[in-house]
PDB file of all heavy atoms in Angstrom:
ATOM      1  N   ALA A  21      24.180  14.226  16.951  1.00 81.00           N
ATOM      2  CA  ALA A  21      23.383  14.827  18.020  1.00 81.00           C
ATOM      3  C   ALA A  21      22.014  14.159  18.174  1.00 81.00           C
ATOM      4  O   ALA A  21      21.277  14.447  19.116  1.00 81.00           O
ATOM      5  CB  ALA A  21      23.191  16.316  17.743  1.00 81.00           C
ATOM      6  N   TYR A  22      21.674  13.261  17.249  1.00 90.00           N
ATOM      7  CA  TYR A  22      20.353  12.623  17.307  1.00 90.00           C
ATOM      8  C   TYR A  22      20.272  11.632  18.458  1.00 90.00           C
ATOM      9  O   TYR A  22      21.267  11.015  18.853  1.00 90.00           O
ATOM     10  CB  TYR A  22      20.044  11.911  15.988  1.00 90.00           C
ATOM     11  CG  TYR A  22      19.957  12.832  14.788  1.00 90.00           C
ATOM     12  CD1 TYR A  22      20.064  12.331  13.497  1.00 90.00           C
ATOM     13  CD2 TYR A  22      19.786  14.201  14.942  1.00 90.00           C
ATOM     14  CE1 TYR A  22      19.992  13.165  12.387  1.00 90.00           C
ATOM     15  CE2 TYR A  22      19.719  15.046  13.846  1.00 90.00           C
ATOM     16  CZ  TYR A  22      19.826  14.518  12.570  1.00 90.00           C
ATOM     17  OH  TYR A  22      19.755  15.351  11.487  1.00 90.00           O
ATOM     18  N   GLN A  23      19.053  11.462  18.975  1.00 89.00           N
ATOM     19  CA  GLN A  23      18.802  10.572  20.099  1.00 89.00           C
ATOM     20  C   GLN A  23      17.760   9.517  19.712  1.00 89.00           C
ATOM     21  O   GLN A  23      17.110   9.615  18.681  1.00 89.00           O
ATOM     22  CB  GLN A  23      18.285  11.370  21.301  1.00 89.00           C
ATOM     23  CG  GLN A  23      19.214  12.485  21.753  1.00 89.00           C
ATOM     24  CD  GLN A  23      18.667  13.207  22.973  1.00 89.00           C
ATOM     25  OE1 GLN A  23      19.388  13.867  23.695  1.00 89.00           O
ATOM     26  NE2 GLN A  23      17.374  13.098  23.203  1.00 89.00           N
ATOM     27  N   ASP A  37       4.517  13.327  -0.755  1.00 87.00           N
ATOM     28  CA  ASP A  37       3.247  13.924  -1.157  1.00 87.00           C
ATOM     29  C   ASP A  37       2.092  13.207  -0.469  1.00 87.00           C
ATOM     30  O   ASP A  37       1.937  11.990  -0.618  1.00 87.00           O
ATOM     31  CB  ASP A  37       3.074  13.857  -2.675  1.00 87.00           C
ATOM     32  CG  ASP A  37       3.906  14.909  -3.385  1.00 87.00           C
ATOM     33  OD1 ASP A  37       4.279  15.906  -2.739  1.00 87.00           O
ATOM     34  OD2 ASP A  37       4.183  14.742  -4.588  1.00 87.00           O
ATOM     35  N   ASP A  54      15.097  23.705  22.044  1.00 91.00           N
ATOM     36  CA  ASP A  54      14.960  25.114  22.449  1.00 91.00           C
ATOM     37  C   ASP A  54      15.739  26.039  21.509  1.00 91.00           C
ATOM     38  O   ASP A  54      15.342  27.186  21.287  1.00 91.00           O
ATOM     39  CB  ASP A  54      15.460  25.302  23.884  1.00 91.00           C
ATOM     40  CG  ASP A  54      14.520  24.679  24.910  1.00 91.00           C
ATOM     41  OD1 ASP A  54      13.352  24.427  24.552  1.00 91.00           O
ATOM     42  OD2 ASP A  54      14.956  24.435  26.047  1.00 91.00           O
ATOM     43  N   ALA A  63       0.113  21.415  15.320  1.00 93.00           N
ATOM     44  CA  ALA A  63      -0.901  20.563  14.703  1.00 93.00           C
ATOM     45  C   ALA A  63      -1.442  21.225  13.434  1.00 93.00           C
ATOM     46  O   ALA A  63      -1.657  22.441  13.395  1.00 93.00           O
ATOM     47  CB  ALA A  63      -2.040  20.299  15.679  1.00 93.00           C
ATOM     48  N   PHE A  68       6.702  21.187   3.793  1.00 97.00           N
ATOM     49  CA  PHE A  68       7.025  21.323   2.371  1.00 97.00           C
ATOM     50  C   PHE A  68       8.537  21.229   2.193  1.00 97.00           C
ATOM     51  O   PHE A  68       9.291  22.003   2.789  1.00 97.00           O
ATOM     52  CB  PHE A  68       6.507  22.669   1.858  1.00 97.00           C
ATOM     53  CG  PHE A  68       6.695  22.891   0.385  1.00 97.00           C
ATOM     54  CD1 PHE A  68       5.764  22.422  -0.524  1.00 97.00           C
ATOM     55  CD2 PHE A  68       7.807  23.581  -0.086  1.00 97.00           C
ATOM     56  CE1 PHE A  68       5.938  22.629  -1.885  1.00 97.00           C
ATOM     57  CE2 PHE A  68       7.984  23.796  -1.444  1.00 97.00           C
ATOM     58  CZ  PHE A  68       7.042  23.310  -2.345  1.00 97.00           C
ATOM     59  N   VAL A  73      16.528  16.467  -4.275  1.00 86.00           N
ATOM     60  CA  VAL A  73      15.721  15.647  -5.183  1.00 86.00           C
ATOM     61  C   VAL A  73      14.273  15.522  -4.724  1.00 86.00           C
ATOM     62  O   VAL A  73      13.389  15.198  -5.514  1.00 86.00           O
ATOM     63  CB  VAL A  73      16.337  14.241  -5.338  1.00 86.00           C
ATOM     64  CG1 VAL A  73      17.686  14.315  -6.013  1.00 86.00           C
ATOM     65  CG2 VAL A  73      16.452  13.543  -3.985  1.00 86.00           C
ATOM     66  N   VAL A  85       3.592  12.883  15.806  1.00 95.00           N
ATOM     67  CA  VAL A  85       4.989  13.292  15.619  1.00 95.00           C
ATOM     68  C   VAL A  85       5.344  14.441  16.569  1.00 95.00           C
ATOM     69  O   VAL A  85       6.507  14.653  16.899  1.00 95.00           O
ATOM     70  CB  VAL A  85       5.229  13.713  14.152  1.00 95.00           C
ATOM     71  CG1 VAL A  85       6.593  14.361  13.964  1.00 95.00           C
ATOM     72  CG2 VAL A  85       5.099  12.497  13.237  1.00 95.00           C
ATOM     73  N   VAL A  94      13.233  21.509   5.236  1.00 96.00           N
ATOM     74  CA  VAL A  94      11.771  21.429   5.321  1.00 96.00           C
ATOM     75  C   VAL A  94      11.207  22.772   5.780  1.00 96.00           C
ATOM     76  O   VAL A  94      11.715  23.378   6.722  1.00 96.00           O
ATOM     77  CB  VAL A  94      11.329  20.326   6.308  1.00 96.00           C
ATOM     78  CG1 VAL A  94       9.802  20.240   6.355  1.00 96.00           C
ATOM     79  CG2 VAL A  94      11.929  18.978   5.913  1.00 96.00           C
ATOM     80  N   LYS A 119       2.808  21.625  -9.147  1.00 92.00           N
ATOM     81  CA  LYS A 119       4.086  20.909  -9.067  1.00 92.00           C
ATOM     82  C   LYS A 119       5.023  21.401 -10.165  1.00 92.00           C
ATOM     83  O   LYS A 119       6.215  21.633  -9.936  1.00 92.00           O
ATOM     84  CB  LYS A 119       3.864  19.405  -9.217  1.00 92.00           C
ATOM     85  CG  LYS A 119       3.435  18.702  -7.959  1.00 92.00           C
ATOM     86  CD  LYS A 119       4.596  18.549  -6.999  1.00 92.00           C
ATOM     87  CE  LYS A 119       4.176  17.754  -5.788  1.00 92.00           C
ATOM     88  NZ  LYS A 119       5.244  17.682  -4.774  1.00 92.00           N
ATOM     89  N   GLY A 162     -11.455  13.639   6.164  1.00 91.00           N
ATOM     90  CA  GLY A 162     -12.012  12.296   6.287  1.00 91.00           C
ATOM     91  C   GLY A 162     -11.319  11.305   5.374  1.00 91.00           C
ATOM     92  O   GLY A 162     -10.981  10.183   5.787  1.00 91.00           O
ATOM     93  N   SER A 166      -8.781   8.211   6.435  1.00 89.00           N
ATOM     94  CA  SER A 166      -9.096   6.860   5.969  1.00 89.00           C
ATOM     95  C   SER A 166      -7.881   6.230   5.298  1.00 89.00           C
ATOM     96  O   SER A 166      -7.584   5.043   5.507  1.00 89.00           O
ATOM     97  CB  SER A 166     -10.271   6.902   4.987  1.00 89.00           C
ATOM     98  OG  SER A 166     -10.540   5.623   4.468  1.00 89.00           O
ATOM     99  N   GLN A 191       3.008   2.841 -10.518  1.00 88.00           N
ATOM    100  CA  GLN A 191       1.938   2.892  -9.527  1.00 88.00           C
ATOM    101  C   GLN A 191       1.832   4.297  -8.922  1.00 88.00           C
ATOM    102  O   GLN A 191       2.770   5.095  -8.982  1.00 88.00           O
ATOM    103  CB  GLN A 191       2.195   1.861  -8.415  1.00 88.00           C
ATOM    104  CG  GLN A 191       2.209   0.417  -8.895  1.00 88.00           C
ATOM    105  CD  GLN A 191       0.842  -0.054  -9.332  1.00 88.00           C
ATOM    106  OE1 GLN A 191      -0.171   0.547  -8.989  1.00 88.00           O
ATOM    107  NE2 GLN A 191       0.803  -1.129 -10.110  1.00 88.00           N
ATOM    108  N   VAL A 225       1.416  -5.615 -13.271  1.00 95.00           N
ATOM    109  CA  VAL A 225       0.583  -6.434 -14.155  1.00 95.00           C
ATOM    110  C   VAL A 225       1.084  -7.876 -14.154  1.00 95.00           C
ATOM    111  O   VAL A 225       2.146  -8.177 -13.602  1.00 95.00           O
ATOM    112  CB  VAL A 225       0.561  -5.866 -15.584  1.00 95.00           C
ATOM    113  CG1 VAL A 225      -0.099  -4.488 -15.594  1.00 95.00           C
ATOM    114  CG2 VAL A 225       1.966  -5.776 -16.166  1.00 95.00           C
ATOM    115  N   PRO A 237      11.638 -18.846  -7.925  1.00 96.00           N
ATOM    116  CA  PRO A 237      10.636 -19.916  -7.902  1.00 96.00           C
ATOM    117  C   PRO A 237      10.270 -20.419  -6.514  1.00 96.00           C
ATOM    118  O   PRO A 237       9.217 -21.047  -6.336  1.00 96.00           O
ATOM    119  CB  PRO A 237      11.295 -21.024  -8.738  1.00 96.00           C
ATOM    120  CG  PRO A 237      12.772 -20.746  -8.645  1.00 96.00           C
ATOM    121  CD  PRO A 237      12.878 -19.259  -8.603  1.00 96.00           C
ATOM    122  N   ILE A 261       3.134 -17.317 -32.544  1.00 94.00           N
ATOM    123  CA  ILE A 261       4.584 -17.253 -32.724  1.00 94.00           C
ATOM    124  C   ILE A 261       5.132 -18.572 -33.256  1.00 94.00           C
ATOM    125  O   ILE A 261       6.070 -18.588 -34.072  1.00 94.00           O
ATOM    126  CB  ILE A 261       5.276 -16.870 -31.404  1.00 94.00           C
ATOM    127  CG1 ILE A 261       4.789 -15.497 -30.947  1.00 94.00           C
ATOM    128  CG2 ILE A 261       6.796 -16.853 -31.562  1.00 94.00           C
ATOM    129  CD1 ILE A 261       4.932 -14.396 -31.973  1.00 94.00           C
ATOM    130  N   ALA A 296      18.674  -4.949 -24.711  1.00 96.00           N
ATOM    131  CA  ALA A 296      18.353  -5.543 -26.017  1.00 96.00           C
ATOM    132  C   ALA A 296      19.490  -5.405 -27.019  1.00 96.00           C
ATOM    133  O   ALA A 296      19.908  -6.384 -27.655  1.00 96.00           O
ATOM    134  CB  ALA A 296      17.076  -4.908 -26.564  1.00 96.00           C
ATOM    135  N   ASP A 318      12.500  -1.878 -33.952  1.00 95.00           N
ATOM    136  CA  ASP A 318      12.978  -0.974 -34.997  1.00 95.00           C
ATOM    137  C   ASP A 318      14.177  -0.173 -34.513  1.00 95.00           C
ATOM    138  O   ASP A 318      15.154   0.020 -35.249  1.00 95.00           O
ATOM    139  CB  ASP A 318      11.844  -0.038 -35.417  1.00 95.00           C
ATOM    140  CG  ASP A 318      12.296   0.973 -36.465  1.00 95.00           C
ATOM    141  OD1 ASP A 318      12.653   0.555 -37.580  1.00 95.00           O
ATOM    142  OD2 ASP A 318      12.287   2.188 -36.154  1.00 95.00           O
TER     143      ASP A 318
END
Side-chain angles (χ1 to χ4, degrees):
Y22 297 162
Q23 303 182 160
D37 283 339
D54 289 342
F68 184 85
V73 295
V85 170
V94 181
K119 278 285 184 185
S166 177
Q191 298 291 342
V225 296
I261 299 306
D318 178 64

